Amino acid sequence: MTDSGPAPLPASDRPDIAARLRDALLAASFTADGLLDLLGAPAYAALARSETVPALRATRGDTPLETLVRLFLLQQPVPHARVAAVLPVEEALEAGWLRRVGGDEVAATVDVRPYGGPGGEDWFIVSDLGCAVGGAGGIGQRDEGVVLGVGGASTTLAGITVRTPVAAALDLGTGSGIQALHAAQHATRVTATDLNPRALHITALTLALSGAPAADLREGSLFEPVRDDETFDLIVSNPPFVISPRARLTYRDGGMGGDDLCRSLVQEAGERLNEGGFAQFLANWQHVAGEDWQDRLRSWVPRGCDAWIVQREVQDVTQYAELWLRDAGDHRGDPAEYQARYDAWLDEFEARKVRAVGFGWITLRRTGSAEPVVTVEEWPHPVEQPLGETIRAHFERLDYLRQHDDAALLDSRFKLVPEVVQEQVGLPGAEDPEHVVLRQHRGMRRATKVDTVGAGFAGVCDGTLSAGRILDAIAQLVGEDPVVLRDRTPAQIRLLVEQGFLEPAD
């Protein structure tokens, strides 16, 4: 990588060579499991932090796997003869996957990183050299058009995406093609867009080297390359959501003021979804003085869509500016220039009255209901990935609750979801607990406080008795009027169903 621009890429129109390379990589166990076995957990984890020294120490031998790790992951020149024993080296040179260096050595032109699919698939993510794991390490000091590989944001989005079979999926801002690769496993047709033509080229390489079907690749920003009459069953995007003073780095800065890019993306997605289709995004949003951040996000949701928006993290403006200045490597440069850029970020936030920036997930589902449900919540606690099935079930429960008024709810039967436990909190020796908590150990890992009636109700729910009959029995036990109990309890039942503690048994 030089100041003249990113290095030339391998040919994307040679699927035959990509297939031969894939076979060779798999034959040498150049897979996620193979790397873990070779490097050991500490060195393997260090690679995810862009630290290569432990892996260099672990690959001082001359086995085929060590050769490939040095070549594609560590970007070390390797003697031609060693590579020829593992790969079809002349074809790889011809197609541009390798280049000659020095007297008799070859080097990789791209980073190729093994990536395990959700079903145990052996995939490979292609990215620019030195850009395999996100922007950490001063990516901004290189060329602005480089394409990053796998990072925490991309794996988070892949984990929360609903994975039901669909006819058409759209990956907006595809980057190195990670979301398109996942979508290709359950979508008949995948369309991927990106403003950076280099990203589309690399996406084609990622798909080919992973043995996945080719995608329909289109150049342009977000929905611009999509025809007006095109709709999809799934839309995913890890967009350039960083709120910055100017569009300096293509891979992260959206080029619109404030959080307008994320707002536009969400608002435009509704009309692009088929009935029942999902749109799922990662996003940043501003916390503006005098404004409720939840109301801000509710205003983004397009008409005709249910929405579930989860804020996972909040940073004050100084933390946020420092994070992305470090991401670009600015802290390693001239102190005066760093200070000027820091000032520019704070000036921008001050002008917009922004006090903090939130980060999280946005899921939309196109619904035919006249009364869409919009849930905006803060949940910074640990969750269990993948969450795609949890998110799909959340929207199914919304449908169920919409279709059942309180009378129908009391006539229904419910089951306590497996792996929900009850915790009683109170002073030692007290006759009754101060409060009772139901806690999930799967999915969102929620905890919710319930009263004694709610706890007793949930504990009895095994799918055999209707909710109304259970409440009548509880009323008799506690000496309460059953009519009053039936009247005040449905709201609590609805909450337990919505949050996934109870599921309909019908």
Side-chain angles (χ1 to χ4, degrees), residues 224-505:
E224 286 178 3
V226 180
R227 297 193 306 272
D228 290 342
D229 61 346
E230 284 185 288
T231 55
F232 302 87
D233 307 296
L234 174 67
I235 300 172
V236 293
S237 184
N238 175 20
F241 54 68
V242 176
I243 300 171
S244 58
R246 62 186 182 90
R248 178 180 163 207
L249 300 174
T250 305
Y251 71 86
R252 70 172 205 192
D253 301 328
M256 297 185 188
D259 52 17
D260 284 354
L261 182 135
C262 291
R263 176 185 54 79
S264 298
L265 182 62
V266 173
Q267 290 180 337
E268 293 177 25
E271 62 186 18
R272 302 292 187 175
L273 283 175
N274 294 323
E275 186 72 21
F278 286 92
Q280 298 186 263
F281 315 108
L282 301 184
N284 273 171
W285 43 79
Q286 299 173 148
H287 286 230
V288 179
E291 177 182 284
D292 186 305
W293 68 270
Q294 294 182 326
D295 289 343
R296 182 182 189 85
L297 289 173
R298 287 189 185 95
S299 73
W300 291 8
V301 178
R303 300 178 68 177
C305 288
D306 292 326
W308 185 15
I309 302 173
V310 182
Q311 180 168 271
R312 296 287 290 157
E313 183 181 1
V314 181
Q315 292 183 313
D316 67 50
V317 293
T318 59
Q319 292 174 311
Y320 189 80
E322 290 161 14
L323 169 67
W324 294 110
L325 287 167
R326 282 174 168 77
D327 172 84
D330 292 327
H331 61 304
R332 297 174 178 165
D334 177 48
E337 187 174 350
Y338 173 80
Q339 181 176 339
R341 284 180 171 161
Y342 199 150
D343 271 331
W345 284 70
L346 297 186
D347 286 345
E348 179 81 4
F349 286 134
E350 186 175 333
R352 295 178 177 275
K353 299 182 180 179
V354 176
R355 299 294 181 260
V357 177
F359 166 81
W361 320 322
I362 298 177
T363 299
L364 307 176
R365 186 190 60 163
R366 190 77 185 176
T367 177
S369 172
E371 298 181 358
V373 176
V374 176
T375 302
V376 184
E377 63 176 320
E378 185 166 17
W379 190 253
H381 312 294
V383 299
E384 181 188 49
Q385 284 275 36
L387 273 173
E389 179 59 23
T390 298
I391 290 174
R392 184 199 61 77
H394 167 86
F395 288 93
E396 281 197 350
R397 292 193 298 270
L398 292 185
D399 285 341
Y400 176 87
L401 292 172
R402 260 195 297 250
Q403 295 160 8
H404 290 71
D405 60 17
D406 286 355
L409 206 66
L410 292 174
D411 284 339
S412 300
R413 295 174 293 117
F414 298 95
K415 294 187 297 184
L416 188 66
V417 171
E419 298 193 42
V420 171
V421 298
Q422 177 180 303
E423 300 173 357
Q424 297 188 164
V425 181
L427 293 174
E431 184 174 345
D432 296 311
E434 293 179 14
H435 58 264
V436 179
V437 173
L438 298 181
R439 188 178 302 277
Q440 300 169 346
H441 284 274
R442 304 297 300 271
M444 291 292 287
R445 295 177 174 167
R446 292 187 184 279
T448 190
K449 188 186 297 185
V450 293
D451 60 19
T452 53
V453 171
F457 178 86
V460 176
C461 283
D462 61 3
T464 58
L465 297 175
S466 71
R469 290 186 62 188
I470 293 174
L471 290 178
D472 290 345
I474 292 175
Q476 187 173 5
L477 284 173
V478 300
E480 188 169 338
D481 185 336
V483 175
V484 173
L485 197 61
R486 278 174 171 256
D487 185 57
R488 70 177 175 85
T489 307
Q492 190 169 189
I493 296 174
R494 287 184 181 278
L495 180 64
L496 292 176
V497 172
E498 181 181 345
Q499 294 190 343
F501 290 93
L502 296 177
E503 60 185 8

Side-chain angles (χ1 to χ4, degrees), residues 139-150:
I139 194 77
Q141 299 301 317
R142 303 180 185 183
D143 190 273
E144 296 182 4
V146 295
V147 178
L148 276 59
V150 180

